[in-house]
Amino acid sequence: MFRKLMSILPLLLPASVIFEAGVNYYVKLIQTEEKRAKTYQLPDDATEYRATVNTYTEFGNYDHIIVGAGSSGAVIAARLCENSTKRILLIEAGGNETDLTDIPAMGTLAQTLEYNWNYQTTPQNRACLLNDNRRCVYPAGRGLGGSTIINSLIYSRGSAADYNVWGLENPGWSFGDLLPFFKTVENYKIPADSCYHGYDGPVNVDYPRPLLNAKSSAFVFANQELGIEVGDYNGANPLRVGVVQSNIIEGQRASTGRAYIQPSLKRCPNLEVLTRSYATKVLMNPTTKRASGVFFARDKKFFVAKATNEIVLSAGVYRSPQLLMLSGIGPSDQLTELGIPVLRDLPVGQFFKDHLAYSGLAFYTKRGSEPKKLEQNIRDYLNSKGQLTTTGALALAFVQNNRSEPVRRPDIEIALFEFSQDYGFPYKVNDPSKLVSVVPVVLHPKSLGSLTLNSSDPFIYPVIDPKFLSDTDGEDRKTMLLGISYSLNLLNTVAFKGIDAKLVPVHLPQCKNYAYFSSEYWNCHINHLSGPFNHPFGTCRMGPDGVVDHKLRVHGVENLMVADASVIPVSISGHTSAPSMMIGEKAAHIIRFG
């Protein structure tokens, strides 16, 4: 990437000349990509990969094949190639990371370009009602690093109680079992509960610089006034508030592609990475139920790669279940209806859950910042600080509404976001730099959705229906109302009064007939302004009655594993990026050592 080149060129040219060349390069890059994004059409299917010839060419034989180079797959490939006697093939539909995706603040822009699969849900009845056709949007990363090249870079593992529930039916998945794998991922660069963290892993965990501004500081101390402990929310106590812990390194995005794949390509001649290659099906023996290869499309041709040992699907919450069903593994009635021969009747896609977030709370403060020109922001970025080194996420608080529970397990997250003038929040205010968004999130949703095939055509996206706020007892809505109430209580704290924080009213025409702040008003707002926090999980759920067992092996199928967020069987009191990396480490350990 360009910054690596800048570290070499001073041997040939003065550093100041190289630095200014870098500034000019990034100005042109960002302006060009912003212009391109205005006309770029995000995909609504994968037909760009469709082959023009229907015959399959033998691609080669490997010990292991991994499908998907995202949060988990990149980790698995890097770990497996450490055994130099094994040939590893990693198949990824996207391309390489770029100088644009390296910039944390460009994650939102990258989501409007080819780095995003752009999944959408079916029309919803109780969420996303302001969106076109009432569909929720699901960004999903496409490229080496998967969603870690477009996400908010928040490193949040969840609570020990989450994993202890996970481990009840799945031996080896309780918190004590998994903490070593989290530590193996981590290279912590911040003050934290040291015995809970790793300090020499591939993935940097750091604070953006500068560490605090007036708004994030006020948020932290306001939550403290409301009884939340300040500290490491990935440590001993999950009920804490703190500045966002981010996957950044020297101000750049620390994706799994950067942390795991790039170093592996230098040290692992036995690792072959195929980009722009779209997996279509797993090669299965219908008699023995053994997986032996992967079909994929590349350069408008079809190929099949063979594997003597485990094939691992790490294609994510949407693609891994789709590949299973296309291969004859899934609900028999659905597969039969689409003419797909059933090899194993399993509940693939039948457990889809996600955290629900409400985006209607914006606070206007007296603390803003002088807008900087793009050139100055780039100068800051090249010095590993400033606006471009952040994604807008400032701080997180984790709240347990039911304090009578015997274990510490947050049920509400309160996230603080800030938006620059260049990428403004959709509220009309005089100075966007004085605005913050406070987002309450339901961490343990009761509503259960599904993912099903739309077609037997592998290039057609699956049908995603999260069924937000559909739980029969209305617990998700009650929890969201509690999160909104908690967020509004921040306005009554000394800390928030110190920055003169005021709620920015949001007047929706759809809710105009309800009294301001009435229960009907908030329920209407929740329906229109709630949507996914983009932490889906469970479509290949782990468990005795699920899709994979505690060794990540597909039930009743030999040689086939799933390892990504789709296997998570319980809701996590945090985000899914960190657990997905942990799953990658655990999967590689299982393959190598049993």
Side-chain angles (χ1 to χ4, degrees):
M1 302 293 184
F2 191 84
R3 279 176 57 159
K4 292 180 181 177
L5 184 62
M6 288 177 63
S7 66
I8 300 171
L9 287 177
L11 299 174
L12 306 174
L13 294 169
S16 60
V17 174
I18 301 302
F19 188 85
E20 288 306 311
V23 172
N24 293 332
Y25 167 79
Y26 278 104
V27 167
K28 184 176 180 180
L29 172 68
I30 292 173
Q31 290 176 341
T32 299
E33 293 298 78
E34 286 179 333
K35 182 178 180 180
R36 187 166 70 91
K38 292 178 180 178
T39 58
Y40 182 81
Q41 295 294 314
L42 285 168
D44 53 19
D45 58 37
T47 53
E48 66 185 87
Y49 295 96
R50 193 184 296 281
T52 55
V53 180
N54 288 326
T55 56
Y56 285 88
T57 301
E58 295 275 348
F59 191 81
N61 295 292
Y62 300 84
D63 292 283
H64 299 286
I65 299 175
I66 301 105
V67 178
S71 303
S72 302
V75 178
I76 298 168
R79 293 305 185 193
L80 293 185
C81 79
E82 291 174 353
N83 183 343
S84 60
T85 66
K86 303 292 186 181
R87 289 192 68 205
I88 314 299
L89 176 66
L90 176 61
I91 299 173
E92 168 56 44
N96 294 313
E97 296 170 83
T98 66
D99 287 324
L100 181 78
T101 60
D102 280 347
I103 305 172
M106 292 297 114
T108 302
L109 178 60
Q111 289 180 23
T112 65
L113 294 167
E114 63 271 14
Y115 312 101
N116 179 12
W117 284 107
N118 187 45
Y119 291 106
Q120 296 187 40
T121 71
T122 59
Q124 297 297 292
N125 296 321
R126 304 172 186 87
C128 301
L129 298 191
L130 277 189
N131 294 0
D132 291 342
N133 301 318
R134 298 182 285 116
R135 297 178 185 272
C136 307
V137 178
Y138 268 114
R142 176 165 58 161
L144 294 180
S147 289
T148 65
I149 66 175
I150 64 170
N151 67 7
S152 294
L153 295 174
I154 298 173
Y155 191 80
S156 173
R157 300 189 315 202
S159 71
D162 301 327
Y163 299 98
N164 290 336
V165 173
W166 185 338
L168 289 176
E169 291 187 331
N170 301 284
W173 292 86
S174 296
F175 184 70
D177 303 310
L178 299 180
L179 182 57
F181 295 104
F182 277 118
K183 289 182 175 182
T184 302
V185 169
E186 298 167 354
N187 183 23
Y188 253 72
K189 297 294 187 181
I190 58 179
D193 297 346
S194 58
C195 63
Y196 282 80
H197 296 296
Y199 294 89
D200 57 1
V203 180
N204 254 44
V205 183
D206 204 348
Y207 290 137
R209 301 289 186 270
L211 175 60
L212 287 169
N213 62 27
K215 289 169 286 192
S216 58
S217 179
F219 178 82
V220 169
F221 290 115
N223 278 278
Q224 186 180 41
E225 288 182 57
L226 296 180
I228 306 299
E229 181 180 309
V230 177
D232 172 19
Y233 51 74
N234 285 315
N237 180 9
L239 301 174
R240 283 175 171 166
V241 60
V243 177
V244 161
Q245 300 181 18
S246 299
N247 293 137
I248 56 174
I249 178 167
E250 297 180 352
Q252 290 188 305
R253 183 175 287 271
S255 68
T256 55
R258 181 192 187 106
Y260 283 91
I261 296 301
Q262 289 183 22
S264 296
L265 289 174
K266 296 176 181 177
R267 61 177 170 79
C268 288
N270 56 323
L271 172 63
E272 185 172 356
V273 178
L274 288 183
T275 57
R276 307 194 187 286
S277 301
Y278 183 86
T280 58
K281 193 168 69 168
V282 178
L283 175 62
M284 299 282 299
N285 185 311
T287 302
T288 64
K289 307 295 191 296
R290 177 183 173 85
S292 59
V294 176
F295 295 101
F296 62 95
R298 173 181 170 87
D299 296 331
K300 300 300 181 181
K301 299 176 183 177
F302 280 122
F303 298 90
V304 59
K306 303 289 184 62
T308 54
N309 298 312
E310 291 89 349
I311 295 167
V312 187
L313 301 184
S314 295
V317 172
Y318 317 110
R319 287 277 292 135
S320 287
Q322 182 186 24
L323 283 167
L324 285 179
M325 290 186 282
L326 290 169
S327 307
I329 302 165
S332 59
D333 55 342
Q334 295 179 27
L335 301 186
T336 300
E337 184 177 347
L338 291 173
I340 299 173
V342 179
L343 297 183
R344 285 292 298 170
D345 184 4
L346 293 175
V348 177
Q350 299 306 290
F351 188 92
F352 180 101
K353 285 194 174 187
D354 189 11
H355 294 152
L356 185 69
Y358 174 71
S359 60
L361 296 177
F363 296 165
Y364 197 59
T365 76
K366 67 179 181 182
R367 295 301 182 94
S369 58
E370 191 71 26
K372 293 183 179 181
K373 292 183 178 180
L374 180 57
E375 289 86 348
Q376 184 55 53
N377 282 326
I378 290 170
R379 287 187 172 89
D380 288 343
Y381 170 67
L382 293 175
N383 286 310
S384 305
K385 64 180 182 179
Q387 179 182 306
L388 294 182
T389 67
T390 75
T391 62
L394 295 180
L396 306 178
F398 293 92
V399 182
Q400 185 169 351
N401 174 62
N402 186 358
R403 300 293 179 90
S404 64
E405 286 193 14
V407 296
R408 292 183 292 194
R409 192 184 189 201
D411 50 15
I412 298 170
E413 176 181 347
I414 309 294
L416 183 73
F417 291 90
E418 180 180 51
F419 300 86
S420 72
Q421 288 197 346
D422 291 332
Y423 306 99
F425 198 76
Y427 289 97
K428 302 300 181 183
V429 294
N430 293 329
D431 183 357
S433 74
K434 295 181 179 179
L435 194 70
V436 289
S437 176
V438 177
V439 180
V441 182
V442 176
L443 292 176
H444 302 295
K446 303 297 188 296
S447 301
L448 180 62
S450 64
L451 181 145
T452 56
L453 285 184
N454 194 23
S455 168
S456 60
D457 184 338
F459 302 101
I460 302 301
Y461 283 175
V463 177
I464 302 166
D465 186 4
K467 296 185 176 69
F468 287 126
L469 297 167
S470 64
D471 57 312
T472 55
D473 58 3
E475 284 300 313
D476 291 350
R477 188 177 295 273
K478 293 173 187 175
T479 303
M480 182 61 79
L481 286 167
L482 289 169
I484 292 172
S485 177
Y486 180 94
S487 300
L488 293 173
N489 282 338
L490 294 170
L491 293 170
N492 299 321
T493 62
V494 173
F496 259 45
K497 288 179 180 178
I499 59 171
D500 197 25
K502 300 285 193 304
L503 178 68
V504 179
V506 181
H507 299 295
L508 297 179
Q510 298 86 347
C511 306
K512 65 182 181 181
N513 294 328
Y514 303 120
Y516 190 51
F517 270 40
S518 66
S519 59
E520 294 85 1
Y521 169 91
W522 285 118
N523 280 320
C524 181
H525 267 239
I526 288 171
N527 289 342
H528 287 83
L529 293 172
S530 289
F533 208 40
N534 206 22
H535 299 154
F537 65 95
T539 50
C540 299
R541 189 186 189 196
M542 181 186 296
D545 58 349
V547 178
V548 301
D549 66 12
H550 67 284
K551 296 285 190 179
L552 298 167
R553 301 168 299 197
V554 176
H555 287 301
V557 179
E558 190 178 352
N559 224 37
L560 184 60
M561 300 172 66
V562 181
D564 54 35
S566 70
V567 307
I568 298 175
V570 298
S571 51
I572 302 297
S573 308
H575 300 205
T576 49
S577 183
S580 295
M581 296 181 217
M582 174 275 294
I583 289 168
E585 290 282 3
K586 173 88 170 177
H589 183 86
I590 290 171
I591 292 170
R592 295 183 67 181
F593 306 110

